[in-house]
Each structure stands twice: as C-alpha cells, then as structure tokens.
Amino acid sequence: MVTGMHIQVEQINDIRRRAKQAGRLTVLGGPSVSASPEMYPDYDYLHQGELGDSTDEIIRLLDESLTPPATQMVFTTKQRLPLTDFPIPAYDAISVWPLSAWHGAILVRLPLHL
C-alpha cells in the first residue's frame, strides 16, 4: 500500500515497479491519486478520498485474495470515517524500524500510541 503527493510521483511509480517485479498486488491512495488518478494506470487498486467505506472494501478484498485483478479497480470514498474514529496506527507491527532515510524522506520512530 502506497501513498504520496505529486512531487513524489517518481518514488510512487518506482515502488509500483518493484512490487510488480516481485509479483505483488499494488494499492495506491493519498492526495496524488485522489487528485489525478489518470497518472497511475498501472496500480491494481486506486483509493480515492479519505478513510471510509472504500477503505473497508479494499481491506475486504485484500483479506479474500492478494492476487492482482485482471483490470485496475478504483474505489472512491462516499462515506468518510469521522476523525475521532480513526484507528490508532499499529507501529509495533512494522518490522523495518529503525530507518534513517528512504527515498529521500527522513523517517523517525514515533510513539506506538498517539
């Protein structure tokens, strides 16, 4: 699952390229794809909009299968999840910490519960 802004389009597409080379299903969400989905014709799933009903649908499909679909699928949020209902990130489930730099972005270890 990838997210990014227009300025990160090269990195967004590089991640997709490497994931596809590894035979992985690709999912893109965030501000860039929400504003310009046509920039990303090679991602399997596109998530447009904020966390909500479309997020739930993508997660349901991922739970069913990690096989890439025959054609790109686009999911657009119609019902947004209220900010107060956002889940707490499971930073403790990420096994790649600590990282110092990746694709030019500085990453820091964040608290497990914000």
Side-chain angles (χ1 to χ4, degrees):
M1 300 181 97
V2 182
T3 186
M5 300 176 290
H6 286 333
I7 196 165
Q8 298 166 313
V9 69
E10 288 182 36
Q11 291 88 351
I12 291 169
N13 285 323
D14 180 57
I15 293 167
R16 181 210 37 87
R17 179 189 56 76
R18 290 184 288 132
K20 287 298 191 181
Q21 283 178 342
R24 302 299 174 116
L25 180 139
T26 55
V27 182
L28 176 63
S32 184
V33 70
S34 292
S36 302
E38 69 279 359
M39 291 174 56
Y40 304 101
D42 297 322
Y43 269 85
D44 297 312
Y45 293 165
L46 298 183
H47 180 286
Q48 295 182 284
E50 298 190 36
L51 191 65
D53 56 344
S54 61
T55 314
D56 293 339
E57 180 64 12
I58 290 172
I59 291 169
R60 186 188 65 75
L61 289 172
L62 292 173
D63 281 343
E64 288 178 8
S65 173
L66 295 177
T67 303
T71 59
Q72 183 180 73
M73 298 178 71
V74 179
F75 301 85
T76 303
T77 299
K78 293 174 184 60
Q79 186 168 353
R80 181 183 179 276
L81 188 67
L83 184 59
T84 55
D85 292 343
F86 277 31
I88 296 173
Y91 294 116
D92 55 326
I94 300 173
S95 62
V96 295
W97 296 105
L99 292 178
S100 59
W102 182 70
H103 277 295
I106 302 301
L107 301 177
V108 296
R109 187 169 191 140
L110 299 174
L112 294 179
H113 302 285
L114 302 175

